[in-house]
Amino acid sequence: AAAARVQRDLLARCGGRPPRVAMLLRATRPAVTTLLGTWRAGGTVVSLPLPVRHVDAAEHGRLLDRLCRAAGADLAVLDPGAAPLLPPLTTPTLHTTDLGTGGPAALEPVPGGRLVQCSSGSTSDPKGVDLPLTAVAHNIEAILERLDLGPRRATVSWLPLSHDMGLIGMLLSTLVSLAPDRADGGELVLLHPEEFVADPRIWFRTLTQARGTVTAAPAFALARMLRLGDLDGVDLSTLEALICGGERIDAAMLGRFEQAAG
């Protein structure tokens, strides 16, 4: 219902045509609602890279402006928590909380949504990969088929939604898996990446509290958890799947992690 209200607002702002929305996706309900509302409007979501510590804010703002121009974005939509980290952009800008605030909207979804997923930008400016939602859906189906999860789904993730592992592997796959014909219920708990960086124990504490069944992380995060040593009170007995990827994986480290986690 909230996404339908965002759909209405975006179509009104773009004269009824499918919008092209550049987004700084963060782990907040308004951000997820804006994402789904853009796709309901048949629009394109351009997933912008989040600012990183060692990059100057003005420099990152210029990068986002270049990406918005290259993607032909009508709007840049920022989470209020991320907006203060950036200078003003040349693309018209809104906050996620500015959309979908009116009354009910009875609109059917418009087909044709797309996702522009940016590469990591570790060696040069990020490059946008333009994906139809049908391709994203095939990816999600492959993930869920491989995981073969039980009837209750509880996903816990701290991965950034600006990356496909957090966005497709955790957020979207979980939303699809919670459809009534697939699951008996469950939940999705999203943490901010900076919460994990500040205190890695929050990941396993949250898995314990939520009785998490699915999570994911790059290999460096597993190695970091191993170095912590003291994990008193952690209970991973409900965990059915831990996806590891996004970088080179050391098989010996995985073995040590499995033994410690057990």
Side-chain angles (χ1 to χ4, degrees), residues 8-221:
R8 175 201 60 206
D9 291 356
L10 288 173
L11 288 173
R13 287 175 179 274
C14 295
R17 61 177 174 78
R20 294 184 67 84
V21 178
M23 286 193 67
L24 268 179
L25 286 163
R26 295 188 79 239
T28 65
R29 188 182 183 92
V32 174
T33 302
T34 303
L35 172 77
L36 300 179
T38 303
W39 284 336
R40 280 187 63 101
T44 297
V45 171
V46 182
S47 179
L48 298 173
L50 291 169
V52 290
R53 288 183 178 182
H54 62 276
V55 174
D56 176 71
E59 180 183 341
H60 193 73
R62 290 190 290 270
L63 168 63
L64 298 190
D65 272 331
R66 292 197 297 275
L67 292 173
C68 288
R69 286 195 298 270
D74 299 303
L75 293 169
V77 181
L78 310 179
D79 187 84
L85 305 177
L86 297 170
L89 302 180
T90 57
T91 302
T93 303
L94 295 173
H95 288 168
T96 53
T97 49
D98 295 331
L99 294 166
T101 58
L107 296 175
E108 289 296 316
V110 179
R114 304 185 75 87
L115 168 68
V116 176
Q117 174 66 59
C118 287
S119 60
S120 64
S122 54
T123 57
S124 62
D125 272 4
K127 308 294 191 299
V129 182
D130 187 5
L131 301 168
L133 287 192
T134 49
V136 175
H138 282 302
N139 191 2
I140 291 169
E141 290 288 0
I143 291 169
L144 296 179
E145 180 180 348
R146 178 64 184 87
L147 292 181
D148 189 25
L149 299 170
R152 179 188 175 276
R153 314 288 165 81
T155 297
V156 173
S157 177
W158 55 266
L159 299 176
L161 298 184
S162 55
H163 287 216
D164 55 311
M165 194 174 184
L167 177 61
I168 299 172
M170 291 283 93
L171 171 64
L172 299 181
S173 294
T174 300
L175 291 179
V176 171
S177 79
L178 290 175
D181 61 337
R182 293 177 182 264
D184 294 339
E187 62 182 321
L188 169 64
V189 182
L190 297 178
L191 302 167
H192 294 296
E194 54 266 31
E195 291 182 277
F196 172 79
V197 172
D199 179 9
R201 289 178 176 83
I202 193 173
W203 180 23
F204 280 7
R205 284 202 303 266
T206 307
L207 276 168
T208 300
Q209 292 162 5
R211 297 184 58 77
T213 61
V214 187
T215 192
F220 85 84

